[in-house]
Amino acid sequence: MGDEVTGIEVRYFAAAVDAAGRDKETVELAPPADLGALKAALIDRHGPGMERVLTVAAFLVGSGPDAELTRDLTRPAGDRVDVLPPFAGG
């Protein structure tokens, strides 16, 4: 059981694309992975630029009509997470 992992599709938008150097990737985490674990993994993978983005970003968890926009890092990550930094000021 200790070797069990789950793939989370992470899609990046706006400044998150710049920080990650790509618009999507799959992150493997041990279940049950929450957004806090995903955030830590993304910072480890992409460094301080991603950390700055994630301090202001919201996460869209899931897809379709059941998708949930949240900043709650205790929320389970599920199989797809969109990283949504603020798109414009004001």
Side-chain angles (χ1 to χ4, degrees):
M1 293 281 256
D3 293 18
E4 188 177 340
V5 295
T6 187
I8 302 167
E9 179 186 8
V10 181
R11 300 187 317 168
Y12 301 108
F13 295 87
V17 172
D18 294 333
R22 65 195 73 205
D23 62 359
K24 66 181 175 180
E25 67 183 317
T26 300
V27 177
E28 302 285 337
L29 293 174
D34 61 18
L35 291 175
L38 178 61
K39 179 179 176 180
L42 295 177
I43 291 168
D44 284 347
R45 186 176 286 193
H46 298 294
M50 181 61 75
E51 184 172 19
R52 282 189 295 278
V53 168
L54 294 178
T55 61
V56 295
F59 301 96
L60 183 64
V61 179
S63 60
D66 294 329
E68 176 188 351
L69 186 64
T70 186
R71 286 192 169 95
D72 179 2
L73 297 179
T74 65
R75 190 209 187 271
D79 61 354
R80 186 167 93 185
V81 175
D82 294 347
V83 177
L84 305 171
F87 290 92

